Amino acid sequence: MESIRRPIDLVMAISALLFLSFTAQAVDQGQELEKSSIEPPYFEVPKDHAAMHRAVTQARKTVGEFIAALKHPAPGQQDFEIKRPFIQNGQVEHIWLSDVQFVGNRFQGRIDNQPRKIQGLKLGQLVSINLHEISDWLYVDHGKLVGGYTVRVQYNELSAKEKQEFDRAADFKIEK
């Protein structure tokens, strides 16, 4: 019997990726990490991160592929998620949404990671967004990541050892 992964499993794998990246950055800067944290530290991407900007552009260009798969998922396709930037008082935070549906010309989904900067958003809260507002999309097809352009950027910035650890922990594969 095939096990069914919940969207939270995908978010946990992505969080692990962010944690590994954060850990490497902190160690490079000589910082110590708190061992008592339950949730991985928040990862801030610089505004001038060119590869991340290209990833967002690619996600927006290819969102039609995501919509087609979301509307008619093939066997083995699961964990459909989108990421959206939320802006409040000049602060920008990109947050993953799970349980995604395409209704009319908008996405609906539930906040799937704990907001750090944006007040008033809660884990599990239902939100609706326009197509052009997404910053990424992804789903898993037979254990392989589809889309996930920003995830791939972060993965590519990991060391070989961190990639091995991530690959061991994740229940999906990131292919080129």
Side-chain angles (χ1 to χ4, degrees), residues 159-170:
S159 70
K161 182 180 179 190
E162 291 166 332
K163 285 179 183 176
Q164 283 181 329
E165 291 173 18
F166 177 82
D167 291 342
R168 227 180 353 262

Side-chain angles (χ1 to χ4, degrees), residues 18-30:
L18 294 174
F19 179 74
L20 288 170
S21 182
F22 174 83
T23 301
Q25 186 179 35
V27 170
D28 286 347
Q29 295 173 2

Side-chain angles (χ1 to χ4, degrees), residues 2-156:
E2 182 179 341
S3 65
I4 298 174
R5 291 181 298 253
R6 299 172 301 139
I8 192 68
D9 295 336
L10 184 58
V11 170
M12 292 305 290
I14 293 167
S15 295
L17 172 68
L18 294 174
F19 179 74
L20 288 170
S21 182
F22 174 83
T23 301
Q25 186 179 35
V27 170
D28 286 347
Q29 295 173 2
Q31 300 172 1
E32 288 190 32
L33 299 174
E34 289 183 31
K35 292 180 173 60
S36 62
S37 286
I38 293 173
E39 189 168 314
Y42 179 78
F43 185 74
E44 186 84 30
V45 176
K47 289 181 182 181
D48 62 349
H49 196 291
M52 196 62 75
H53 287 285
R54 285 191 301 273
V56 170
T57 299
Q58 186 67 19
R60 289 178 178 164
K61 282 183 185 177
T62 59
V63 72
E65 295 173 31
F66 177 78
I67 294 168
L70 178 65
K71 285 183 171 182
H72 305 287
Q77 293 179 338
Q78 56 196 25
D79 295 337
F80 290 84
E81 300 204 11
I82 55 174
K83 186 163 61 167
R84 174 195 179 201
F86 288 84
I87 304 168
Q88 185 179 72
N89 299 327
Q91 297 289 317
V92 179
E93 183 173 1
H94 295 259
I95 297 176
W96 285 101
L97 307 176
S98 64
D99 299 328
V100 177
Q101 297 179 6
F102 192 63
V103 180
N105 287 332
R106 296 175 62 85
F107 289 112
Q108 288 183 345
R110 298 200 175 276
I111 302 292
D112 208 21
N113 56 283
Q114 187 64 47
R116 302 288 179 124
K117 294 179 179 181
I118 306 300
Q119 302 299 314
L121 286 180
K122 296 186 189 305
L123 197 61
Q125 178 180 341
L126 185 64
V127 296
S128 178
I129 66 170
N130 292 316
L131 294 177
H132 69 274
E133 293 177 301
I134 69 159
S135 56
D136 204 354
W137 60 263
L138 60 79
Y139 62 92
V140 176
D141 186 353
H142 291 94
K144 296 176 186 170
L145 183 68
V146 178
Y149 300 101
T150 60
V151 174
R152 293 170 193 277
V153 167
Q154 291 166 328
Y155 180 82
N156 289 335

